[in-house]
Amino acid sequence: MYAGGVMRVIPVPCLSDNYAYLIVGQGQDAWSAAVVDPSEAEPVLAAAEREGLRLRAILCTHHHFDHVGGNQELLERLGELPVYGHVSDRGRIPGQTHGLEHEQAFTLLGRSFRALHIPGHTTGALAYVVDGAVFTGDTLFAAGCGRLFEGTPAMMYESLNVRLAALPDDTLMYFGHEYTASNLRFAAHVEPTNAAIAAKQRRVSELRAVGAPTTPSTLRDERATNPFLRCDSAEIARHLSGRLPPRPSPIDVLGLLRAEKDAF
Ligand code: FE
Ligand code: ZN
């Protein structure tokens, strides 16, 4: 019987600031792993070998090359593996075998996974929820969110503040890029008296000083520090005043924050 405890997740730094992740299986699958967003094959294979893990599946959060760039080589080196992504990303994710819908559940490595469709950064963006953790790709970062390449502020608002925000506070949040320090600079700019942001900036600079990753965050931390989850903040509304329409909606706030961050 599996001893329980926190699910083992191994961040694998890829390219200049990407993270792939190995999710370790449970029970009979404890020597197996699924990889989330293999930007490149080599660091993922090296991490799996170092940890004594056999790769069983590829989970893709979206079709961008810095998340799926290693798919083809992994398939060539390891043989056929299931490759998961949103159903609408068929043809955009190399080797995709499984097209998931919003809220679709599946079992892998003895663990129960659930897909959340979280469009905004791309139209096919997915989060994977498993055992108290969520893998958010480029949709939700620590203290930030992805650019709206294919979606609208309304889509991103729903994805962040309705779909992801429904998860429990202590959910561990694993994100796609090490952008935390610069995201926090923007968060402090739009909400200068938020003490949680200042405290997180201190923790993050300690981690970065020794080259440690800032992943994972928690949804609790994000609710306290991430401006894109804080569209009802009075201080953010003051920061945006003059740019907001009369009786602004939280979607107006998110759209203006995202546009300001694009040029920050
Ligand atoms: Fe992306
Ligand atoms: Zn990316």
Side-chain angles (χ1 to χ4, degrees), residues 135-264:
F135 296 81
T136 58
D138 286 357
T139 304
L140 183 58
F141 296 123
C145 74
R147 286 178 188 254
L148 300 177
F149 285 125
E150 299 174 7
T152 63
M155 280 178 177
M156 186 59 106
Y157 183 84
E158 165 93 10
S159 294
L160 298 181
N161 291 281
V162 179
R163 294 184 175 186
L164 289 170
L167 294 168
D169 260 355
D170 56 4
T171 304
L172 294 174
M173 195 194 94
Y174 293 90
F175 43 87
H177 289 267
E178 184 58 65
Y179 293 159
T180 309
S182 67
N183 285 344
L184 283 166
R185 277 195 294 280
F186 179 73
H189 171 71
V190 300
E191 228 180 352
T193 72
N194 181 328
I197 293 171
K200 181 125 186 182
Q201 280 184 301
R202 288 192 293 275
R203 291 204 305 282
V204 163
S205 56
E206 282 167 21
L207 288 170
R208 297 311 288 153
V210 296
T214 66
T215 186
S217 184
T218 62
L219 282 177
R220 180 179 291 103
D221 260 26
E222 295 315 302
R223 287 192 235 279
T225 61
N226 190 321
F228 299 94
L229 293 184
R230 299 177 56 74
C231 294
D232 55 356
S233 150
E235 196 172 20
I236 290 176
R238 271 198 302 283
H239 176 82
L240 297 173
S241 67
R243 282 176 278 167
L244 282 169
R247 262 174 268 118
S249 74
I251 293 168
D252 296 324
V253 171
L254 187 144
L256 283 170
L257 283 174
R258 187 57 263 177
E260 183 177 348
K261 177 70 166 64
D262 285 350
F264 187 72

Side-chain angles (χ1 to χ4, degrees), residues 18 61-67 121-122 137-139 141 149 177:
N18 278 77
T61 61
H62 66 296
H63 70 92
H64 284 160
F65 190 72
D66 62 318
H67 297 256
H121 177 65
T122 65
D138 286 357
T139 304
F141 296 123
F149 285 125
H177 289 267

Side-chain angles (χ1 to χ4, degrees), residues 75-87:
L75 295 172
E76 280 160 22
R77 302 269 293 267
L78 302 173
E80 267 175 43
L81 293 176
V83 178
Y84 292 80
H86 187 252
V87 62

Side-chain angles (χ1 to χ4, degrees), residues 68-155:
V68 303
N71 284 17
Q72 212 55 61
E73 189 179 340
L74 288 177
L75 295 172
E76 280 160 22
R77 302 269 293 267
L78 302 173
E80 267 175 43
L81 293 176
V83 178
Y84 292 80
H86 187 252
V87 62
S88 71
D89 266 342
R90 274 196 197 281
R92 303 207 292 182
I93 292 177
Q96 183 172 353
T97 58
H98 290 61
L100 298 166
E101 308 268 9
H102 181 51
E103 294 282 13
Q104 190 169 339
F106 58 102
T107 302
L108 199 61
L109 313 168
R111 298 187 182 280
S112 301
F113 287 75
R114 184 164 58 100
L116 295 180
H117 184 211
I118 48 168
H121 177 65
T122 65
T123 50
L126 270 192
Y128 295 93
V129 179
V130 52
D131 279 5
V134 62
F135 296 81
T136 58
D138 286 357
T139 304
L140 183 58
F141 296 123
C145 74
R147 286 178 188 254
L148 300 177
F149 285 125
E150 299 174 7
T152 63
M155 280 178 177

